[in-house]
Coordinates of all heavy atoms in Angstrom, one line a residue:
M1 N 120.1 122.4 119.6 CA 120.9 122.1 118.5 C 120.1 122.4 117.2 O 119.0 122.0 117.1 CB 121.4 120.6 118.5 CG 122.0 120.2 117.2 SD 122.5 118.5 117.2 CE 124.3 118.7 117.2
K2 N 120.7 123.1 116.3 CA 120.1 123.4 115.0 C 120.2 122.2 114.0 O 121.3 121.6 114.0 CB 120.7 124.6 114.4 CG 120.4 125.9 115.2 CD 119.7 126.9 114.3 CE 119.5 128.2 115.1 NZ 118.2 128.3 115.6
A3 N 119.1 121.9 113.3 CA 119.2 120.8 112.3 C 118.5 121.3 111.0 O 117.4 122.0 111.1 CB 118.4 119.6 112.8
D4 N 119.1 121.0 109.9 CA 118.5 121.2 108.6 C 117.4 120.1 108.4 O 117.7 118.9 108.7 CB 119.5 121.2 107.5 CG 120.5 122.4 107.6 OD1 120.1 123.4 108.2 OD2 121.6 122.2 107.2
V5 N 116.3 120.5 107.9 CA 115.1 119.5 107.8 C 114.8 119.3 106.3 O 114.7 120.2 105.5 CB 113.9 120.1 108.5 CG1 112.7 119.1 108.4 CG2 114.2 120.4 109.9
Y6 N 114.7 118.0 105.9 CA 114.3 117.6 104.6 C 113.1 116.7 104.7 O 113.0 115.9 105.6 CB 115.4 116.9 103.9 CG 116.6 117.7 103.6 CD1 117.6 117.9 104.6 CD2 116.8 118.3 102.4 CE1 118.7 118.7 104.3 CE2 117.9 119.1 102.1 CZ 118.8 119.3 103.1 OH 119.9 120.1 102.9
M7 N 112.1 116.9 103.8 CA 110.9 116.1 103.9 C 110.4 115.7 102.5 O 110.7 116.4 101.5 CB 109.7 116.8 104.6 CG 109.9 117.1 106.0 SD 108.4 117.9 106.7 CE 108.9 118.1 108.3
T8 N 109.6 114.6 102.4 CA 109.0 114.3 101.2 C 107.6 114.9 101.2 O 107.1 115.4 102.2 CB 108.8 112.7 101.1 OG1 108.1 112.3 102.2 CG2 110.1 112.0 100.9
K9 N 107.0 115.0 100.0 CA 105.6 115.4 99.9 C 104.8 114.3 99.3 O 105.1 113.9 98.2 CB 105.5 116.7 99.0 CG 106.2 117.9 99.6 CD 106.0 119.1 98.7 CE 106.8 120.2 99.3 NZ 106.8 121.4 98.5
P10 N 103.8 113.8 100.0 CA 103.3 114.1 101.3 C 104.4 113.8 102.4 O 105.3 113.0 102.1 CB 102.1 113.3 101.5 CG 102.2 112.1 100.6 CD 103.1 112.6 99.5
R11 N 104.2 114.2 103.6 CA 105.3 114.1 104.6 C 105.3 112.7 105.2 O 105.0 112.4 106.3 CB 105.0 115.1 105.7 CG 105.1 116.5 105.3 CD 104.8 117.5 106.4 NE 105.0 118.8 105.9 CZ 104.9 119.9 106.7 NH1 104.6 119.7 108.0 NH2 105.0 121.1 106.2
Q12 N 105.8 111.8 104.4 CA 106.0 110.4 104.8 C 107.3 110.1 105.4 O 107.5 109.2 106.1 CB 105.7 109.4 103.7 CG 104.2 109.5 103.2 CD 104.0 108.7 102.0 OE1 104.8 108.5 101.1 NE2 102.8 108.1 102.0
K13 N 108.3 110.9 104.9 CA 109.7 110.7 105.4 C 110.3 112.0 105.8 O 110.0 113.0 105.3 CB 110.6 110.1 104.3 CG 110.2 108.7 103.9 CD 111.2 108.0 103.0 CE 111.5 108.8 101.7 NZ 112.4 108.1 100.8
I14 N 111.2 111.9 106.8 CA 111.9 113.1 107.3 C 113.3 112.8 107.5 O 113.7 111.7 108.0 CB 111.2 113.7 108.6 CG1 111.9 115.0 109.0 CG2 111.3 112.7 109.7 CD1 111.2 115.7 110.2
L15 N 114.2 113.8 107.2 CA 115.6 113.6 107.4 C 116.1 114.9 108.1 O 115.8 116.0 107.6 CB 116.4 113.5 106.1 CG 117.9 113.5 106.1 CD1 118.5 112.4 106.9 CD2 118.4 113.6 104.7
L16 N 116.7 114.8 109.2 CA 117.3 115.9 109.9 C 118.9 115.7 109.8 O 119.4 114.6 110.0 CB 117.0 115.9 111.4 CG 115.5 115.9 111.8 CD1 115.3 115.9 113.3 CD2 114.8 117.1 111.2
L17 N 119.5 116.8 109.5 CA 121.0 116.8 109.4 C 121.5 117.9 110.3 O 120.9 119.0 110.5 CB 121.4 117.2 108.0 CG 121.1 116.3 106.8 CD1 121.6 116.8 105.5 CD2 121.6 114.9 107.1
T18 N 122.7 117.7 110.9 CA 123.3 118.7 111.7 C 123.4 119.9 110.7 O 123.8 119.7 109.6 CB 124.7 118.2 112.1 OG1 124.6 117.0 112.9 CG2 125.4 119.3 112.9
A19 N 123.1 121.1 111.2 CA 123.1 122.3 110.4 C 124.4 122.4 109.6 O 125.5 122.3 110.1 CB 122.9 123.5 111.2
G20 N 124.2 122.6 108.3 CA 125.3 122.8 107.4 C 125.9 121.5 106.7 O 126.7 121.6 105.8
K21 N 125.5 120.4 107.2 CA 125.9 119.1 106.7 C 125.3 118.8 105.3 O 124.1 119.1 105.1 CB 125.6 118.0 107.7 CG 126.3 116.6 107.3 CD 126.0 115.6 108.5 CE 126.8 114.4 108.2 NZ 128.0 114.3 109.0
E22 N 126.0 118.3 104.4 CA 125.5 118.0 103.1 C 125.0 116.5 103.0 O 125.6 115.6 103.5 CB 126.6 118.2 102.0 CG 127.1 119.6 102.0 CD 126.1 120.5 101.4 OE1 125.3 120.1 100.5 OE2 126.1 121.7 101.8
I23 N 123.9 116.3 102.3 CA 123.4 115.0 102.0 C 124.4 114.1 101.4 O 124.6 112.9 101.7 CB 122.1 115.0 101.2 CG1 121.0 115.6 102.0 CG2 121.7 113.6 100.7 CD1 119.6 115.8 101.3
A24 N 125.2 114.6 100.5 CA 126.3 113.9 99.8 C 127.3 113.3 100.7 O 128.0 112.3 100.4 CB 126.9 114.8 98.7
S25 N 127.4 113.8 102.0 CA 128.4 113.3 102.9 C 127.9 112.1 103.7 O 128.6 111.5 104.5 CB 128.9 114.4 103.9 OG 127.8 114.8 104.8
L26 N 126.6 111.8 103.5 CA 126.0 110.7 104.3 C 126.2 109.3 103.7 O 126.6 109.2 102.5 CB 124.5 111.0 104.4 CG 124.0 112.3 105.0 CD1 122.5 112.4 104.9 CD2 124.4 112.3 106.5
P27 N 126.1 108.3 104.5 CA 126.2 106.9 103.9 C 125.2 106.7 102.8 O 124.2 107.3 102.7 CB 125.8 106.0 105.1 CG 126.1 106.8 106.3 CD 125.8 108.3 105.9
E28 N 125.6 105.9 101.8 CA 124.9 105.7 100.6 C 123.4 105.3 100.9 O 122.5 105.8 100.2 CB 125.5 104.6 99.8 CG 125.0 104.5 98.4 CD 125.8 103.5 97.6 OE1 127.1 103.5 97.6 OE2 125.2 102.7 96.8
K29 N 123.2 104.5 101.9 CA 121.8 104.1 102.2 C 120.9 105.3 102.6 O 119.8 105.3 102.3 CB 121.9 103.0 103.4 CG 120.7 102.1 103.5 CD 121.0 101.0 104.5 CE 120.0 99.9 104.4 NZ 120.2 98.9 105.3
V30 N 121.5 106.2 103.4 CA 120.8 107.4 103.8 C 120.6 108.3 102.6 O 119.5 109.0 102.5 CB 121.5 108.1 104.9 CG1 120.8 109.3 105.4 CG2 121.7 107.2 106.1
Q31 N 121.6 108.4 101.7 CA 121.4 109.2 100.5 C 120.2 108.7 99.7 O 119.5 109.5 99.1 CB 122.7 109.2 99.7 CG 123.8 110.0 100.3 CD 125.0 110.0 99.4 OE1 125.0 110.1 98.2 NE2 126.2 109.9 100.0
E32 N 120.1 107.4 99.6 CA 119.0 106.8 98.8 C 117.7 107.1 99.5 O 116.7 107.4 98.9 CB 119.2 105.3 98.8 CG 118.1 104.5 98.0 CD 118.1 104.9 96.5 OE1 119.1 105.2 96.0 OE2 117.0 104.7 95.9
F33 N 117.6 107.1 100.9 CA 116.4 107.4 101.6 C 116.0 108.9 101.3 O 114.9 109.2 101.3 CB 116.8 107.2 103.1 CG 115.6 107.6 104.1 CD1 114.6 106.7 104.4 CD2 115.6 108.9 104.7 CE1 113.6 107.0 105.2 CE2 114.6 109.2 105.5 CZ 113.6 108.3 105.8
A34 N 117.0 109.7 101.1 CA 116.8 111.2 101.0 C 116.5 111.6 99.5 O 116.2 112.8 99.3 CB 118.0 111.9 101.5
K35 N 116.6 110.7 98.6 CA 116.6 111.2 97.2 C 115.4 111.9 96.7 O 115.5 112.7 95.8 CB 117.0 110.0 96.2 CG 115.8 109.1 95.9 CD 116.3 108.1 94.9 CE 115.1 107.2 94.5 NZ 115.5 106.2 93.5
D36 N 114.2 111.7 97.3 CA 113.0 112.4 96.8 C 112.6 113.5 97.8 O 111.4 113.9 97.8 CB 111.9 111.4 96.6 CG 111.6 110.5 97.8 OD1 112.4 110.5 98.7 OD2 110.5 109.9 97.8
M37 N 113.5 114.0 98.6 CA 113.2 115.0 99.7 C 113.6 116.4 99.2 O 114.5 116.5 98.4 CB 113.9 114.6 101.0 CG 113.5 113.4 101.6 SD 114.3 113.2 103.2 CE 113.3 111.9 103.9
T38 N 112.9 117.3 99.8 CA 113.2 118.7 99.5 C 113.5 119.4 100.9 O 113.0 119.0 101.9 CB 112.0 119.4 98.8 OG1 110.9 119.3 99.6 CG2 111.8 118.8 97.4
P39 N 114.3 120.5 100.8 CA 114.5 121.2 102.1 C 113.3 121.8 102.7 O 112.4 122.2 102.0 CB 115.5 122.4 101.6 CG 116.0 121.9 100.3 CD 115.0 121.1 99.7
H40 N 113.2 121.8 104.0 CA 112.0 122.3 104.7 C 112.4 123.3 105.8 O 111.7 123.4 106.8 CB 111.3 121.1 105.3 CG 109.9 121.4 105.8 ND1 108.8 121.7 105.0 CD2 109.4 121.5 107.1 CE1 107.8 121.9 105.7 NE2 108.1 121.8 107.0
G41 N 113.6 123.9 105.7 CA 114.0 124.9 106.7 C 114.9 124.3 107.7 O 115.6 123.3 107.5
Q42 N 115.0 125.0 108.8 CA 115.8 124.6 109.9 C 115.0 124.6 111.2 O 114.3 125.5 111.5 CB 117.0 125.6 110.0 CG 118.2 125.1 110.8 CD 119.4 126.0 110.7 OE1 119.3 127.1 111.3 NE2 120.4 125.6 110.0
W43 N 115.2 123.6 112.0 CA 114.6 123.5 113.3 C 115.6 123.5 114.5 O 116.7 123.0 114.3 CB 113.8 122.2 113.4 CG 112.6 122.0 112.6 CD1 112.0 123.0 111.8 CD2 111.8 120.8 112.3 NE1 110.9 122.5 111.1 CE2 110.8 121.2 111.4 CE3 111.9 119.5 112.8 CZ2 109.9 120.2 111.0 CZ3 111.0 118.6 112.4 CH2 110.0 119.0 111.5
E44 N 115.1 124.0 115.6 CA 115.9 123.8 116.8 C 115.4 122.5 117.5 O 114.2 122.4 117.8 CB 115.6 125.0 117.8 CG 116.4 125.0 119.0 CD 117.9 125.2 118.9 OE1 118.3 125.9 118.0 OE2 118.6 124.5 119.6
I45 N 116.4 121.6 117.7 CA 116.0 120.3 118.3 C 116.3 120.4 119.8 O 117.4 120.6 120.2 CB 116.8 119.2 117.7 CG1 116.7 119.1 116.2 CG2 116.5 117.8 118.3 CD1 115.2 118.9 115.7
D46 N 115.2 120.4 120.6 CA 115.3 120.6 122.0 C 114.3 119.7 122.7 O 113.1 119.9 122.6 CB 114.9 122.0 122.3 CG 114.9 122.3 123.8 OD1 115.3 121.4 124.6 OD2 114.5 123.4 124.2
P47 N 114.7 118.6 123.3 CA 113.8 117.6 124.0 C 112.9 118.3 125.0 O 111.8 117.7 125.3 CB 114.8 116.6 124.6 CG 116.0 116.7 123.9 CD 116.1 118.2 123.4
A48 N 113.2 119.4 125.5 CA 112.3 120.1 126.5 C 111.1 120.8 125.8 O 110.2 121.1 126.5 CB 113.1 121.1 127.3
T49 N 111.2 120.9 124.5 CA 110.1 121.6 123.8 C 109.4 120.5 122.9 O 110.0 120.1 121.9 CB 110.6 122.7 122.9 OG1 111.4 123.6 123.8 CG2 109.5 123.5 122.3
P50 N 108.2 120.1 123.2 CA 107.6 119.0 122.4 C 107.3 119.4 120.9 O 107.1 120.6 120.6 CB 106.2 118.8 123.1 CG 106.4 119.4 124.4 CD 107.4 120.5 124.3
R51 N 107.5 118.5 120.0 CA 107.2 118.7 118.6 C 106.4 117.5 118.1 O 106.9 116.4 118.2 CB 108.5 118.9 117.8 CG 108.2 119.2 116.3 CD 109.5 119.4 115.6 NE 110.2 120.6 116.0 CZ 110.1 121.8 115.4 NH1 109.2 122.0 114.4 NH2 110.8 122.8 115.8
I52 N 105.2 117.7 117.7 CA 104.3 116.6 117.3 C 105.0 115.8 116.2 O 105.5 116.3 115.2 CB 103.0 117.2 116.8 CG1 102.2 117.9 117.9 CG2 102.1 116.1 116.2 CD1 101.0 118.6 117.5
G53 N 105.0 114.5 116.4 CA 105.5 113.5 115.4 C 107.0 113.4 115.4 O 107.5 112.7 114.5
L54 N 107.7 114.0 116.4 CA 109.1 113.8 116.4 C 109.6 113.5 117.8 O 109.3 114.3 118.7 CB 109.8 115.1 115.8 CG 111.3 115.1 115.8 CD1 111.9 114.1 114.8 CD2 111.8 116.5 115.5
D55 N 110.4 112.4 117.9 CA 111.0 112.1 119.2 C 112.3 112.9 119.3 O 113.3 112.5 118.7 CB 111.3 110.6 119.3 CG 111.9 110.2 120.6 OD1 112.4 111.1 121.3 OD2 111.9 109.0 120.8
Q56 N 112.2 114.1 119.8 CA 113.3 115.0 119.8 C 114.5 114.5 120.6 O 115.7 114.8 120.3 CB 112.9 116.4 120.3 CG 112.0 117.1 119.4 CD 112.0 118.6 119.6 OE1 112.9 119.3 119.0 NE2 111.0 119.1 120.3
K57 N 114.3 113.7 121.6 CA 115.4 113.1 122.4 C 116.2 112.1 121.5 O 117.4 112.2 121.5 CB 114.8 112.4 123.6 CG 115.9 111.9 124.6 CD 115.3 111.3 125.9 CE 116.4 110.9 126.8 NZ 115.8 110.3 128.0
A58 N 115.5 111.3 120.8 CA 116.1 110.3 119.9 C 116.8 111.1 118.7 O 117.9 110.7 118.3 CB 115.1 109.3 119.3
A59 N 116.2 112.1 118.2 CA 116.7 112.9 117.1 C 118.0 113.6 117.6 O 119.0 113.6 116.9 CB 115.7 113.9 116.6
L60 N 118.0 114.2 118.7 CA 119.2 114.9 119.3 C 120.3 113.9 119.5 O 121.5 114.2 119.1 CB 118.8 115.6 120.6 CG 120.0 116.4 121.2 CD1 120.4 117.5 120.3 CD2 119.5 117.0 122.5
Y61 N 120.0 112.7 120.0 CA 121.1 111.7 120.2 C 121.7 111.3 118.9 O 122.9 111.2 118.7 CB 120.5 110.5 120.9 CG 121.4 109.4 121.1 CD1 122.3 109.4 122.2 CD2 121.6 108.3 120.3 CE1 123.2 108.4 122.5 CE2 122.5 107.3 120.5 CZ 123.3 107.3 121.6 OH 124.2 106.4 121.8
A62 N 120.9 111.0 117.9 CA 121.4 110.6 116.6 C 122.2 111.8 115.9 O 123.2 111.5 115.3 CB 120.2 110.2 115.7
L63 N 121.7 113.0 116.0 CA 122.4 114.1 115.4 C 123.8 114.3 116.0 O 124.8 114.5 115.3 CB 121.6 115.4 115.5 CG 120.4 115.5 114.6 CD1 119.4 116.6 115.1 CD2 120.8 115.7 113.2
Q64 N 123.8 114.1 117.3 CA 125.1 114.3 118.0 C 126.1 113.2 117.7 O 127.3 113.4 117.7 CB 124.9 114.4 119.6 CG 124.2 115.7 120.0 CD 123.8 115.7 121.4 OE1 123.6 114.6 122.1 NE2 123.7 116.9 122.0
N65 N 125.6 112.0 117.5 CA 126.4 110.8 117.3 C 126.7 110.5 115.8 O 127.8 109.9 115.5 CB 125.8 109.6 118.0 CG 126.0 109.7 119.5 OD1 127.1 109.6 120.0 ND2 124.9 110.1 120.1
T66 N 125.8 110.8 114.9 CA 126.0 110.4 113.5 C 125.9 111.6 112.5 O 126.2 111.5 111.4 CB 124.9 109.4 113.0 OG1 123.6 109.9 113.1 CG2 125.0 108.1 113.9
G67 N 125.3 112.7 113.0 CA 125.1 113.9 112.2 C 123.8 113.9 111.4 O 123.5 114.8 110.6
F68 N 123.0 112.8 111.5 CA 121.7 112.7 110.9 C 120.7 111.9 111.7 O 121.1 111.1 112.5 CB 121.8 112.1 109.4 CG 122.2 110.7 109.4 CD1 121.3 109.7 109.4 CD2 123.6 110.3 109.4 CE1 121.6 108.4 109.4 CE2 123.9 109.0 109.4 CZ 123.0 108.0 109.4
Y69 N 119.4 112.1 111.3 CA 118.3 111.4 111.9 C 117.3 111.1 110.9 O 116.9 112.1 110.1 CB 117.7 112.2 113.1 CG 116.5 111.5 113.7 CD1 116.6 110.4 114.6 CD2 115.2 112.0 113.5 CE1 115.5 109.9 115.2 CE2 114.1 111.4 114.1 CZ 114.2 110.4 114.9 OH 113.1 109.8 115.5
T70 N 116.8 109.9 110.7 CA 115.8 109.6 109.7 C 114.5 109.1 110.4 O 114.6 108.5 111.5 CB 116.2 108.5 108.7 OG1 116.6 107.3 109.4 CG2 117.4 109.0 107.9
A71 N 113.4 109.4 109.9 CA 112.1 108.9 110.4 C 111.1 108.8 109.3 O 111.2 109.4 108.3 CB 111.6 109.8 111.5
T72 N 110.1 107.9 109.5 CA 109.0 107.7 108.6 C 107.7 107.9 109.3 O 107.7 107.7 110.6 CB 109.0 106.4 107.9 OG1 109.0 105.4 108.9 CG2 110.3 106.2 107.0
A73 N 106.7 108.3 108.6 CA 105.4 108.5 109.2 C 104.4 107.8 108.4 O 104.4 107.8 107.1 CB 105.0 109.9 109.4
E74 N 103.4 107.1 109.0 CA 102.4 106.5 108.2 C 101.1 106.5 109.1 O 101.2 106.2 110.3 CB 102.8 105.0 107.9 CG 101.8 104.3 107.1 CD 102.2 102.9 106.7 OE1 103.4 102.7 106.6 OE2 101.4 102.1 106.4
I75 N 100.0 106.8 108.5 CA 98.7 106.8 109.2 C 97.9 105.6 108.6 O 97.7 105.6 107.3 CB 98.0 108.1 109.0 CG1 98.8 109.2 109.6 CG2 96.6 108.0 109.6 CD1 98.2 110.6 109.4
N76 N 97.5 104.7 109.4 CA 96.6 103.6 109.0 C 95.2 103.9 109.5 O 95.0 104.2 110.7 CB 97.1 102.3 109.5 CG 98.5 101.9 108.9 OD1 98.6 102.0 107.7 ND2 99.4 101.5 109.7
L77 N 94.2 103.8 108.6 CA 92.9 104.0 109.0 C 92.1 102.7 108.8 O 92.2 102.1 107.7 CB 92.3 105.1 108.1 CG 90.8 105.5 108.4 CD1 90.7 106.0 109.8 CD2 90.4 106.5 107.4
E78 N 91.4 102.3 109.8 CA 90.6 101.1 109.6 C 89.1 101.4 110.0 O 88.8 102.0 111.0 CB 91.1 100.0 110.6 CG 90.3 98.7 110.6 CD 90.8 97.7 111.5 OE1 91.9 97.9 112.1 OE2 90.1 96.7 111.7
I79 N 88.2 101.1 109.0 CA 86.8 101.3 109.2 C 86.2 100.0 109.8 O 86.3 99.0 109.1 CB 86.1 101.8 107.9 CG1 86.8 103.1 107.5 CG2 84.6 101.9 108.1 CD1 86.3 103.5 106.1
V80 N 85.6 100.1 110.9 CA 84.9 99.0 111.6 C 83.4 99.2 111.6 O 83.0 100.3 112.1 CB 85.5 98.8 113.0 CG1 84.8 97.6 113.6 CG2 87.0 98.6 112.9
E81 N 82.7 98.3 111.1 CA 81.2 98.5 111.2 C 80.7 98.2 112.6 O 81.2 97.3 113.2 CB 80.6 97.5 110.2 CG 80.9 97.9 108.7 CD 80.1 97.0 107.8 OE1 78.9 96.6 108.1 OE2 80.6 96.7 106.7
N82 N 79.7 99.0 113.0 CA 79.1 98.8 114.2 C 78.1 97.7 114.1 O 77.2 97.8 113.3 CB 78.4 100.1 114.6 CG 77.9 100.1 116.0 OD1 77.7 99.0 116.6 ND2 77.6 101.3 116.6
P83 N 78.2 96.7 114.9 CA 77.3 95.5 114.8 C 75.9 95.8 115.3 O 75.0 95.0 115.1 CB 77.9 94.4 115.7 CG 78.7 95.2 116.7 CD 79.2 96.4 116.0
N84 N 75.6 97.0 115.9 CA 74.3 97.3 116.4 C 73.3 97.7 115.3 O 73.4 98.4 114.5 CB 74.3 98.3 117.5 CG 75.1 97.8 118.7 OD1 75.0 96.6 118.9 ND2 75.8 98.7 119.4

């Protein structure tokens, strides 16, 4: 399934839409989530083909049932001192 991809810079949030769907047609809460995003092309969503950082099975399910999929990414780094 083809999906239009929108992301923030840095890539902290991602929005996938069924190809050709407009952000303006989404629920207000999702439109708010997408307000600082820019288009990032189109991806083929295929659970058989791994894509780092994206649960394609969940994305495909959401796209088929709601027409959109949202996700956030965050990296937490903790520095631990070596007691030796």
Side-chain angles (χ1 to χ4, degrees):
M1 169 181 248
K2 294 236 184 258
D4 294 332
V5 181
Y6 295 83
M7 291 185 183
T8 56
K9 291 182 184 177
R11 294 181 180 182
Q12 294 176 325
K13 297 190 302 184
I14 184 172
L15 171 66
L16 303 180
L17 298 178
T18 303
K21 190 173 184 100
E22 298 290 328
I23 290 176
S25 71
L26 300 175
E28 192 173 316
K29 204 171 191 178
V30 181
Q31 289 182 40
E32 182 65 27
F33 178 84
K35 79 176 184 180
D36 56 345
M37 295 185 166
T38 57
H40 192 73
Q42 196 173 72
W43 291 350
E44 182 67 35
I45 304 302
D46 177 7
T49 307
R51 186 178 289 271
I52 295 173
L54 178 66
D55 181 345
Q56 291 200 85
K57 188 175 181 181
L60 183 60
Y61 180 83
L63 287 165
Q64 290 173 333
N65 289 287
T66 65
F68 67 91
Y69 176 75
T70 60
T72 58
E74 185 176 332
I75 297 173
N76 293 313
L77 180 64
E78 181 179 349
I79 298 174
V80 179
E81 291 186 34
N82 187 343
N84 295 331

